[in-house]
Amino acid sequence: MILVVIHCLCNSDQIGFSRFSQEFLNSKVDGDLLLQLSEKSLSEDIGIANGILRKRFQRELNQLKRLADYSSCDTSGLSSFLQGLGPEFCQYTYQMLLSGVHVKDLRELTPEQLETECGISNSIHRMRIMHMVKGEGNPHLLKMRNDCICFRLAC
């Protein structure tokens, strides 16, 4: 399925990445690598020199990350927690899972760990996550988060 996504991202003239499809194939980019691509790897490894094109590709990739189904590798409900904060937070799920983060670990994370280990460069997003895990967020979302944590810890 991920190869189909790469094919669609790269070969759609409407999106404008068709000239890079061979580089993805040559680099053997699979689903795991696709979800980890950084702006630096897009530039140096895939050859997208134009910064605006890299931003556009990142935007499409972030949309893919938001829509992805992480249920096969997310046993703690991290994706559901992030979705509860807002759909834009789901783009961090995969990197957080790769870093070994589970929902129950969120209370122990520092803003620095969210940035360096989890790849959350947006300081406002880090702040909102920290507020929610400390109980300072929206009460409706907090109840949903606590239900999720309690349910997951009881399993």
Side-chain angles (χ1 to χ4, degrees):
M1 171 168 156
I2 295 298
L3 289 177
V4 172
V5 171
I6 293 170
H7 178 77
C8 289
L9 279 174
C10 294
N11 289 326
S12 172
D13 288 331
Q14 184 178 6
I15 297 174
F17 301 113
S18 58
R19 63 182 165 200
F20 303 106
S21 60
Q22 192 59 49
E23 286 304 318
F24 281 95
L25 291 172
N26 292 344
S27 298
K28 295 180 175 40
V29 175
D30 59 14
D32 178 55
L33 291 174
L34 178 66
L35 294 174
Q36 294 182 65
L37 286 177
S38 66
E39 188 162 341
K40 181 180 177 183
S41 60
L42 286 172
S43 173
E44 295 176 5
D45 303 324
I46 303 299
I48 304 178
N50 184 307
I52 293 171
L53 283 178
R54 285 194 309 274
K55 293 282 186 199
R56 286 182 50 229
F57 190 90
Q58 283 292 141
R59 182 181 62 201
E60 296 297 324
L61 185 56
N62 286 339
Q63 181 65 13
L64 173 66
K65 290 176 182 180
R66 288 183 197 114
L67 298 174
D69 177 4
Y70 297 102
S71 60
S72 65
C73 59
D74 180 15
T75 58
S76 77
L78 181 62
S79 181
S80 296
F81 171 81
L82 293 171
Q83 179 68 36
L85 287 168
E88 67 275 18
F89 287 85
C90 291
Q91 67 184 305
Y92 306 122
T93 303
Y94 195 69
Q95 185 59 46
M96 291 177 84
L97 291 171
L98 284 179
S99 298
V101 175
H102 292 87
V103 171
K104 64 180 174 26
D105 301 324
L106 290 172
R107 288 188 177 109
E108 307 301 321
L109 293 177
T110 65
E112 293 78 23
Q113 288 172 311
L114 288 173
E115 182 175 16
T116 57
E117 305 301 326
C118 302
I120 305 174
S121 59
N122 184 317
S123 63
I124 303 302
H125 285 186
R126 289 193 308 272
M127 178 191 68
R128 287 194 53 207
I129 291 169
M130 297 303 295
H131 281 266
M132 283 305 295
V133 297
K134 292 180 179 176
E136 301 166 359
N138 179 317
H140 173 71
L141 293 177
L142 181 61
K143 180 182 180 332
M144 188 172 78
R145 179 198 53 135
N146 284 336
D147 289 346
C148 178
I149 290 172
C150 291
F151 173 76
R152 293 299 177 183
L153 291 177
C155 292

